Amino acid sequence: MGSPSFLKRAQALLHVRNQLLRECLAELLAVFVLILITLSGSAQMVTSSGTKGNILTSYLAGALAVMVAIYTAGGVSGAHLNPAFSLCMCLLGQLPLWKFPIFAAVQTLGSFIAAGAVYALYYDAIQFYSNGTLAASGPLETASIFATYPAEYLSISNGFLDQVMGTALLIVGILAITDTRNKGVPKGLEPVAVALLVFSIEVSMGSNCGCPMNPARDFGPRLFTYVAGWGAEVFSRDNAWWWVPVVAPLLGAAMGTALYQLLVAFHHPAEDGGGGARGAKRDNSSTAIPLGAGPWDK
């Protein structure tokens, strides 16, 4: 018999058997893909002064990035991509609570690394656009490529409400899309439906603060800008706005989860194995789907 191929030998050497580590690696890659595409869409728009992209193309890039990321890790980690969704999964009993801080840390790390990759990819463009000054405010600011900042008119309280409502809507939509006892989506097309959901929220609720709806997506890149040269203003700007897209989406996730359960899932007709969005038995460790909830592997 011939010798094993290089690929098979490499697989035998590098194969990870620990379930949690496998989930973390998949989640890291999925978030990296999500943020790389999302921030690249923003960078292209900003550094070209709108000539090679606009707010619509930026939103479209972000929505399609969600789809690609879910396909990347949905069958391994569930491609949560978002601590808000991981919290939703914890509340539904589909993710052990002890895994939540681990998933959130991995998601934030993936976002941080992706921000660095985007900075490297668009380094010359950012330097040319900003005249070599990395500014977090002013007419040539580039910090908003990486993290979200509120519109000039937006108060902290209104911005907090914006993020609670936007994230709650995101979670309700994902739970509905992945609820096999509701209308449902053809198997394998759930990521497409979630991408359309994200796009619809962005184009209808994005003017206030850009629809972060994801603590890791905002905090990881913001932290990168802090260490990469934009300075402390990325945290102090706009009355220390930074904590709003970190805290408010978690509250929104809890509200969205409760709303869908109380108004829809609890009222499904009883059947074998129990009712509701959790009627089908799932492996708590790896079947919760991405950004939203649901079994991609069903």
Side-chain angles (χ1 to χ4, degrees):
M1 296 181 62
S3 61
S5 68
F6 171 78
L7 188 61
K8 288 186 177 180
R9 291 199 303 270
Q11 180 182 13
L13 178 64
L14 300 175
H15 177 68
V16 174
R17 292 174 174 79
N18 181 273
Q19 178 66 24
L20 177 60
L21 183 55
R22 290 176 60 238
E23 293 171 359
C24 289
L25 291 174
E27 192 75 6
L28 182 69
L29 178 60
V31 173
F32 177 84
V33 168
L34 169 67
I35 304 305
L36 178 66
I37 298 174
T38 299
L39 300 189
S40 292
S42 179
Q44 181 168 290
M45 174 186 68
V46 171
T47 58
S48 70
S49 298
T51 62
K52 296 180 180 179
N54 53 42
I55 193 66
L56 189 61
T57 62
S58 178
Y59 286 157
L60 183 60
L64 293 177
V66 170
M67 178 187 71
V68 177
I70 292 173
Y71 280 124
T72 298
V76 182
S77 68
H80 293 190
L81 312 178
N82 184 345
F85 180 64
S86 295
L87 177 62
C88 167
M89 292 291 93
C90 288
L91 295 175
L92 293 176
Q94 295 187 22
L95 182 74
L97 187 59
W98 64 267
K99 281 189 177 182
F100 174 75
I102 299 174
F103 268 53
V106 170
Q107 290 154 0
T108 303
L109 176 62
S111 298
F112 182 93
I113 296 172
V118 172
Y119 182 52
L121 179 64
Y122 279 92
Y123 178 82
D124 287 347
I126 290 173
Q127 293 296 318
F128 179 79
Y129 172 80
S130 64
N131 294 322
T133 301
L134 300 179
S137 59
L140 297 180
E141 67 84 17
T142 48
S144 61
I145 290 174
F146 299 92
T148 62
Y149 295 89
E152 184 177 350
Y153 58 81
L154 192 69
S155 65
I156 291 291
S157 58
N158 198 174
F160 193 92
L161 177 63
D162 175 284
Q163 281 305 283
V164 170
M165 292 183 64
T167 309
L169 178 58
L170 174 68
I171 295 299
V172 167
I174 292 175
L175 291 175
I177 289 168
T178 58
D179 185 355
T180 57
R181 304 194 62 200
N182 204 327
K183 188 69 175 176
V185 175
K187 177 178 170 58
L189 291 181
E190 301 95 338
V192 178
V194 173
L196 291 173
L197 168 65
V198 171
F199 186 64
S200 71
I201 296 173
E202 288 178 328
V203 298
S204 63
M205 303 174 70
S207 63
N208 280 338
C209 56
C211 275
M213 301 184 294
N214 182 338
R217 173 262 176 273
D218 200 81
F219 184 74
R222 192 183 302 274
L223 184 60
F224 172 80
T225 57
Y226 172 73
V227 301
W230 276 265
E233 190 179 359
V234 299
F235 286 104
S236 63
R237 178 183 157 182
D238 299 307
N239 298 312
W241 160 263
W242 70 271
W243 67 272
V244 175
V246 173
V247 176
L250 297 176
L251 179 58
M255 290 183 60
T257 303
L259 283 172
Y260 191 79
Q261 298 304 303
L262 291 173
L263 300 180
V264 178
F266 284 173
H267 312 296
H268 287 318
E271 65 177 27
D272 292 343
R278 293 179 288 167
K281 186 175 181 180
R282 298 170 49 75
D283 177 357
N284 286 344
S285 64
S286 64
T287 48
I289 102 183
L291 253 172
W296 298 144
D297 54 352
K298 284 193 172 185

